[in-house]
Structure formats: structure tokens, C-alpha cells
Amino acid sequence: AVQRLLVVVQLLMGEIPDRSVFFGEGMQGELRPYLEIAQAVRRGDLAVFHETVGGHAERLRMDGTYTLISRLAHSVVKAGLRRLKTSYSRISLEDVASRLGLPSATSAEFVVAKAVRDGVIDATINHEGGYVQSHDLVDVYATVEPSEAFHRRIAYCLTTHNDAVRAMRYTPDAYKKQLEASRGLRRSREEKTDEEKAQEIEDELDDEDYEY
């Protein structure tokens, strides 16, 4: 039961479990329906996915995973769109609907628009022409963006350093104030010492008068 749930969670997270998971000791029969579902998700064909889930619906309900598996339809569509984008730089909405198992080009247009908005694929929909145009991948390291980001980080570090140095500087004539305060404290200690000496002399004179 735990292994079944792990497979379902991986699929919901957009990951395809490794094949070794399904062929472990004592797991081949137990996880057979989930292997077929994982293959349908990888293929990215919504019609095949629904057919596979329908064929194992009773078993999935017994396992308590039917509702979770039903939520994988969105992952199937995303996987299919990624594969189409990799294979075609330009593809009609009708072909998208046919390859993903969608009912119509209108449904395909809605699905593609949502995928573009969510950042699943980088493409543009030509509504008049009825096709999807993929954007070419740009090598960011061939542009000036890395050097600009590096420059911003260096500037930030230099600014932080300069602010720290300024914060460590003393205010003008601060050392004079500290020196005067130190002298005043020393002077008060010396005066206090003289008073103590005078008090001691007075006490000694009082003691001598008392003896006489």
C-alpha cells in the first residue's frame, strides 16, 4: 500500500517513477496497473490515459487511489505539450488536439493557452492561423545577462563594504571628549584621595587629644 501511494505521489508531482520500482520483488502484479498509468502519463495522450484508468477503475477504487489518479489528467496534458514543443517548432491546433486526445481544436487552444500562462511551454498561439509557434531556446550564457548580474553582485558587495567602513569611523574630535572624560575621572579620584588623607589626619589628631 505504501509503495502504491509513493508511485501516485511521484506522478502527481510531475515525476515518472523508475521502472525498477514496478519490477521489485513481489511488486510486479501489485503495481501492474500503476505501471500502465505511468506509461500513459509519459506518453502524454489524454485518450490513452482515460482508457487505461477506465480499465483499472475497479482496482483503483479498491486501493483508494482512483480520485488521486483522476487528477493526473493535467500532468498528462503538460507532458504531451512538452513533447510536442520539443518535436515541432510549429504545429496546428488540430494536430495538437489529435495527438493529445482532446475533443477539438478549440479545446486544444484553451489547453495550450493555459500551459503558456503557467510557464509549462514557451510558445505563442496564432489565433488567425490556428497554430502554435514555439520560441527558440536562447543560450543565456551567450548574452550579456551573466556579466550584468555579476556586476550587480560586485556593486552590492562594494556598497556593503563602504557602508560598514563608514559605520566604524569615529565622530570628529571624539577622541578629545574621551580624553577629557578620562582626565576628569582621574582628577576626581585624586581629589577624593586628598579628602581621605585629610580625614585620616583629622582622625589622628582627635585620637591624640583623646589620649591626653
Side-chain angles (χ1 to χ4, degrees):
V2 174
Q3 193 63 49
R4 290 197 301 266
L5 291 176
L6 287 175
V7 170
V8 174
V9 169
Q10 280 189 278
L11 291 172
L12 288 172
M13 293 176 63
E15 303 174 0
I16 302 298
D18 192 84
R19 289 181 60 86
S20 61
V21 173
F22 301 99
F23 294 99
E25 184 178 355
M27 291 293 176
Q28 295 185 19
E30 184 71 17
L31 297 180
R32 182 67 185 179
Y34 298 91
L35 172 61
E36 296 180 5
I37 291 172
Q39 292 173 339
V41 173
R42 180 192 293 273
R43 184 174 176 178
D45 190 325
L46 201 57
V48 173
F49 171 76
H50 286 309
E51 181 181 352
T52 304
V53 173
H56 298 288
E58 185 176 353
R59 167 67 186 279
L60 296 176
R61 288 192 176 94
M62 290 178 58
D63 294 342
T65 58
Y66 181 80
T67 302
L68 295 174
I69 294 295
S70 300
R71 296 180 181 180
L72 291 174
H74 184 58
S75 298
V76 174
V77 172
K78 290 195 297 184
L81 287 175
R82 290 194 185 100
R83 295 187 61 179
L84 291 178
K85 181 183 181 300
T86 303
S87 303
Y88 303 95
S89 61
R90 174 174 171 176
I91 185 172
S92 67
L93 291 172
E94 292 181 357
D95 288 340
V96 172
S98 175
R99 293 177 181 274
L100 295 184
L102 299 173
S104 64
T106 303
S107 299
E109 183 176 1
F110 173 78
V111 168
V112 172
K114 188 177 186 306
V116 171
R117 185 174 61 253
D118 294 343
V120 176
I121 59 173
D122 186 13
T124 302
I125 301 176
N126 188 310
H127 299 281
E128 296 179 356
Y131 63 86
V132 180
Q133 181 69 51
S134 299
H135 297 163
D136 295 332
L137 294 176
V138 178
D139 184 6
V140 68
Y141 293 101
T143 66
V144 298
E145 185 175 347
S147 61
E148 291 179 351
F150 190 59
H151 174 73
R152 288 194 298 269
R153 293 181 182 181
I154 292 177
Y156 172 77
C157 292
L158 291 176
T159 301
T160 303
H161 173 266
N162 294 335
D163 292 342
V165 170
R166 280 195 292 268
M168 293 173 62
R169 291 177 180 173
Y170 293 100
T171 57
D173 299 332
Y175 70 96
K176 294 182 180 179
K177 295 180 180 179
Q178 293 180 356
L179 183 59
E180 292 176 357
S182 177
R183 288 176 178 174
L185 180 60
R186 184 182 303 171
R187 189 180 302 111
S188 63
R189 289 178 178 176
E190 291 177 353
E191 291 176 356
K192 184 178 180 180
T193 302
D194 292 340
E195 292 176 358
E196 291 176 351
K197 291 180 179 179
Q199 184 64 37
E200 291 177 357
I201 295 172
E202 185 177 350
D203 293 340
E204 291 177 358
L205 292 175
D206 291 340
D207 292 340
E208 292 177 357
D209 292 340
Y210 177 77
E211 291 177 357
Y212 288 118

